Amino acid sequence: MEFNRRISRRLHEEHEATLALWGRLEQALAMRGSRPPTEEDVRLLRDCAAQLADEVTRHFAFEEAELFPRLAAAGEGDIAELLAEEHETIRAAARQFGELAHDVTGRWPALRALGLELAERLLGHVQKEEMSLLPSLEDLLDEETDQALAGSYV
């Protein structure tokens, strides 16, 4: 889908980056199996941990503070609530993932399992936002509000 609102486009770009990175991780972890991680695996895991830290702080906080209340006010509170619940689940797993990513080789089995779980959760979550949140914003926001939101989301 093509988005006309600036904030929708910006979030969509971030979603695409998340899908690409975490899709790569999911594929790498599935192929690796229980074998020890390679240096490339370690780099990819650390890249994912860094991206996830930004995702669950800045991106999630913006959606929760600025977008979900607007959805709820427009009668779309159910989807806003579902997405917020998913944020909490992902945040908890992200904290653990970040801790484990500091010692990849020593915690490989747990990190691999959690990485696969997080990839599945993130990919599903992003797809929900792409199919529900972003199209709703296209209808809900006027030009002025879109400009203000896009300006505040830097």
Side-chain angles (χ1 to χ4, degrees):
M1 176 174 194
E2 191 168 316
F3 298 106
N4 296 313
R5 299 289 181 210
R6 288 179 58 202
I7 194 62
S8 298
R9 286 192 308 266
R10 177 63 196 260
L11 294 172
H12 174 69
E13 290 167 1
E14 289 185 4
H15 288 161
E16 285 183 323
T18 296
L19 290 172
L21 182 62
W22 284 85
R24 281 183 35 227
L25 180 67
E26 183 178 46
Q27 185 177 27
L29 293 177
M31 289 175 42
R32 173 84 18 228
S34 61
R35 294 187 314 266
T38 64
E39 286 184 32
E40 185 178 327
D41 293 332
V42 172
R43 277 192 303 277
L44 181 57
L45 284 161
R46 290 194 175 135
D47 288 348
C48 285
Q51 185 265 356
L52 187 59
D54 182 60
E55 179 88 9
V56 301
T57 53
R58 186 185 56 82
H59 185 104
F60 283 9
F62 178 79
E63 290 176 344
E64 291 165 0
E66 299 293 342
L67 305 180
F68 295 173
R70 285 177 167 82
L71 284 178
E76 306 235 11
D78 289 346
I79 190 64
E81 188 175 315
L82 172 66
L83 294 172
E85 288 172 7
E86 288 184 359
H87 282 184
E88 286 307 310
T89 301
I90 293 168
R91 268 190 190 101
R95 279 190 294 275
Q96 186 180 8
F97 186 80
E99 292 168 10
L100 293 175
H102 291 295
D103 181 18
V104 173
T105 54
R107 299 183 139 164
W108 175 244
L111 185 57
R112 181 182 175 275
L114 185 56
L116 287 168
E117 176 190 335
L118 262 169
E120 182 179 334
R121 287 186 186 281
L122 280 167
L123 298 176
H125 179 74
V126 165
Q127 289 169 349
K128 283 183 191 113
E129 288 192 353
E130 288 285 314
M131 293 180 346
S132 61
L133 174 65
L134 299 186
S136 293
L137 292 176
E138 290 290 296
D139 296 333
L140 180 66
L141 301 177
D142 60 30
E143 186 64 31
E144 186 177 317
T145 304
D146 179 47
Q147 292 289 344
L149 289 171
S152 69
Y153 188 66
V154 177

